[in-house]
Amino acid sequence: LSMRLAPLMRKPGEVRGSAAARWYGALASELSQPQLDALLPVIVPPVARAADDASGHVHAAVKARAAEVLALLQRAASPPAFVAVYQRVQDATRDARRERKRKAALAAVADP
């Protein structure tokens, strides 16, 4: 279910994204620390992408809720596990951005 909710965080509008953010927040508050640590690789990426969105695709209310859920996850999970997963998400985002920039540069050179 968590994987199916991930795309809703980036859809236009507030209702679906807010519902997904609330679901992730409920998971974070109800699971024990070992259970949450095991699910962090599934939960953190969509929440972090929504909270850190600079593209404007994420509704402002969803972005605020995602930031709250990210803070809740940070408090509820063990620090080493959270930091490792969050760092992987940031690295993946940076790598994807770098790859898009490289492809755009290649396209500009190939077809000026």
Side-chain angles (χ1 to χ4, degrees), residues 24 67 98:
Y24 289 127
R98 191 176 299 134

Side-chain angles (χ1 to χ4, degrees), residues 13-14 56-66:
E14 177 184 359
H57 289 109
V58 177
H59 194 278
V62 175
K63 190 173 178 176
R65 273 204 185 82

Side-chain angles (χ1 to χ4, degrees), residues 6-59:
L8 297 179
M9 297 286 283
R10 296 185 57 89
K11 296 281 183 187
E14 177 184 359
V15 176
R16 291 180 181 156
S18 293
R22 284 193 301 264
W23 171 257
Y24 289 127
L27 276 179
S29 64
E30 292 298 319
L31 294 177
S32 66
Q33 189 175 13
Q35 291 172 325
L36 185 60
D37 288 349
L39 287 176
L40 280 177
V42 176
I43 297 173
V44 172
V47 174
R49 277 190 223 110
D52 298 337
D53 182 66
S55 68
H57 289 109
V58 177
H59 194 278

